[in-house]
């Protein structure tokens, strides 16, 4: 990506890892802070438009990358909306998002997915760097508690059984060297929010990425989901999320856990309950007993869906990063 500017050099370097809508919402808040952001995004998606492009063009799935690019882009809202636009009609076109098609085109023009992401980042004046976890699509598999093996990121939550573990195929996938370097140079590493087994853990299953996080001297934060995800984290508490990460990585990664302790209106809870989703309970004693420091605040907004309050969340993250930098001096 070339030389970092002096202005960037003075900014704390934060690496954010994950995928899905939660990551994009959070990044909209973080990009307003004086931070040098690198987002490392999962490439395990195999559903919808991303899945079709992945299979037909033999490229990494573009959907999560496109969401993150849009979140970090410094563009007019109308252009942002255009990138998210999903075609409703057209043989072969229905279901595709325009942003996914542009990313596929840019990858073809440059001859490489990573180069395509880099070029589109430049066109969209992205504040920070966006890197796929690997330059190839990976197949995510899950072993259920009864021993059943389920293939494909989009199929795992549909299976309806408790997940024992998830794993990648190939299991020795190489990460981008840029991603490894970013983790090694980071002042802060932030993981979550997002689907625990299909967006968050897959990045940490890339062996060299997990090792770089473990070895890093950065302050490490986990942003816990507000609601459980049907088929993935049914009845999970905050400590269950943390335990799942630790069991997959083999190490306790985080210094801080950021959780919502704000009230979710009963009518909103009822709406989510219809889909089998409930609020993630903060079992504070268990989390602190495991050695994590907890930052709890009212962190939710409800419009059509419950989302993290990006402004509040980014305030807490930036505060932790600032405090960490002061301690390092």
């Amino acid at each position: 990506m070339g030389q970092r500017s002096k202005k960037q050099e003075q900014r704390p370097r934060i690496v954010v890892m994950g995928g899905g809508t939660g990551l994009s919402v959070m990044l909209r808040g973080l990009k307003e802070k004086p931070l040098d952001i690198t987002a490392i995004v999962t490439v395990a998606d195999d559903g919808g438009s991303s899945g079709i492009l992945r299979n037909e063009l033999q490229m990494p799935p573009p959907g999560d990358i496109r969401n993150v690019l849009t979140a970090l882009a410094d563009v007019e809202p109308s252009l942002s909306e255009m990138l998210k636009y999903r075609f409703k009609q057209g043989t072969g076109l229905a279901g595709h998002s325009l942003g996914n098609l542009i990313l596929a085109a840019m990858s073809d023009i440059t001859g490489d997915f990573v180069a395509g992401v880099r070029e589109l980042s430049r066109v969209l004046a992205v504040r920070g760097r966006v890197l796929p976890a690997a330059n190839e699509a990976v197949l995510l598999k899950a072993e259920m508690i009864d021993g059943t093996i389920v293939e494909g990121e989009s199929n795992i939550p549909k299976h309806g059984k408790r997940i024992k573990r998830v794993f990648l195929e190939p299991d020795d996938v190489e990460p981008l060297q840029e991603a490894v370097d970013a983790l090694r140079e980071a002042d802060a590493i932030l993981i979550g929010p997002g689907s625990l087994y299909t967006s968050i853990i897959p990045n940490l299953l890339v062996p060299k990425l997990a090792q770089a996080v473990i070895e890093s001297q950065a302050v490490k934060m986990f942003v816990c989901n507000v609601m459980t995800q049907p088929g993935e984290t049914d009845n999970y508490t905050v400590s269950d999320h943390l335990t799942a990460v630790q069991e997959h990585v083999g190490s306790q990664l985080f210094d801080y856990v950021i959780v919502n302790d704000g009230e979710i209106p009963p009518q909103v809870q009822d709406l989510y309950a219809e889909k089998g989703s409930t609020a993630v309970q903060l079992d504070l004693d268990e989390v602190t007993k495991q050695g994590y420091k907890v930052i709890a605040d009212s962190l939710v907004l409800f419009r059509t869906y419950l989302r993290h309050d990006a402004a509040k969340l980014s305030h807490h993250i930036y505060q932790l990063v600032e405090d960490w930098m002061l301690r390092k001096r």
Side-chain angles (χ1 to χ4, degrees):
M1 290 297 290
Q3 294 296 308
R4 285 155 49 86
S5 69
K6 282 190 175 179
K7 196 172 178 186
Q8 281 178 312
E9 290 286 1
Q10 292 157 5
R11 294 180 167 202
R13 290 167 291 196
I14 186 166
V15 177
V16 184
M17 298 175 78
T21 313
L23 180 66
S24 304
V25 169
M26 182 178 67
L27 286 169
R28 286 180 202 281
L30 274 184
K31 77 175 181 183
E32 303 303 332
K33 300 292 184 187
L35 292 166
D36 181 6
I37 300 170
T38 299
I40 299 174
V41 187
T42 182
V43 286
D45 191 6
D46 65 354
S49 169
S50 281
I52 294 165
L53 292 170
R54 166 186 171 141
N55 293 332
E56 291 190 359
L57 302 179
Q58 300 302 302
M59 63 181 280
D64 282 340
I65 295 272
R66 181 253 310 160
N67 276 332
V68 171
L69 285 170
T70 308
L72 289 173
D74 199 2
V75 292
E76 293 292 326
S78 55
L79 179 55
S80 182
E81 285 305 308
M82 191 172 76
L83 291 169
K84 286 190 283 186
Y85 177 76
R86 204 169 285 276
F87 293 93
K88 296 174 183 66
Q89 296 170 306
T91 308
L93 198 55
H96 280 297
S97 93
L98 181 60
N100 285 0
L101 296 175
I102 290 171
L103 197 42
M106 201 66 94
S107 301
D108 205 27
I109 290 164
T110 59
D112 175 73
F113 183 67
V114 174
V117 172
R118 192 177 293 137
E119 188 58 22
L120 193 54
S121 297
R122 189 186 65 76
V123 170
L124 297 175
V126 164
R127 297 191 206 176
R129 286 188 298 173
V130 180
L131 304 172
N135 201 8
E136 61 180 298
V138 293
L139 178 62
L140 186 68
K141 295 185 176 184
E143 180 186 354
M144 300 303 179
I145 213 82
D146 65 353
T148 310
I149 303 293
V150 180
E151 284 195 14
E153 180 263 0
S154 59
N155 294 321
I156 292 168
K158 296 176 191 167
H159 209 69
K161 293 178 180 170
R162 196 172 175 90
I163 297 167
K164 183 180 178 186
R165 69 182 181 108
V166 288
F167 55 100
L168 296 182
E169 195 173 277
D171 62 1
D172 59 350
V173 62
E174 281 288 320
L176 289 190
Q177 188 57 46
E178 272 182 88
V180 176
D181 291 344
L183 287 165
R184 286 180 179 152
E185 294 163 8
D187 298 305
I189 295 171
L190 179 62
I191 294 175
S195 302
L196 181 65
Y197 288 104
T198 53
S199 287
I200 292 172
I201 290 175
N203 283 334
L204 296 169
L205 294 175
V206 178
K208 289 178 185 173
L209 285 187
Q211 200 54 39
V213 176
I214 291 164
E215 291 171 0
S216 170
Q217 298 302 303
V219 60
K220 297 166 200 172
M221 299 168 268
F222 180 73
V223 180
C224 193
N225 291 340
V226 175
M227 305 296 287
T228 62
Q229 187 162 357
E232 279 200 45
T233 55
D234 299 292
N235 303 314
Y236 271 40
T237 62
V238 173
S239 71
D240 290 331
H241 284 76
L242 294 162
T243 299
V245 173
Q246 187 168 342
E247 285 176 349
H248 280 81
V249 178
S251 180
Q252 187 166 312
L253 290 186
F254 310 109
D255 303 299
Y256 292 93
V257 185
I258 302 173
V259 298
N260 171 62
D261 69 353
E263 195 62 41
I264 298 167
Q267 67 271 24
V268 177
Q269 292 201 43
D270 291 346
L271 198 65
Y272 274 81
E274 287 171 20
K275 301 171 190 168
S277 183
T278 58
V280 175
Q281 297 302 311
L282 170 57
D283 46 345
L284 186 60
D285 289 348
E286 188 58 37
V287 175
T288 51
K289 192 169 80 180
Q290 289 177 15
Y292 302 101
K293 300 181 190 83
V294 176
I295 306 292
D297 194 0
S298 179
L299 294 173
V300 286
L301 293 172
F302 180 73
R303 291 191 179 106
T304 315
Y305 300 98
L306 267 180
R307 294 278 182 256
H308 274 99
D309 182 328
K312 265 192 178 180
L313 184 56
S314 55
H315 167 76
H316 283 293
I317 293 163
Y318 185 66
Q319 200 65 56
L320 286 175
V321 176
E322 270 208 313
D323 292 348
W324 184 261
M325 299 299 283
L326 284 171
R327 260 182 270 163
K328 275 173 62 178
R329 281 174 195 155

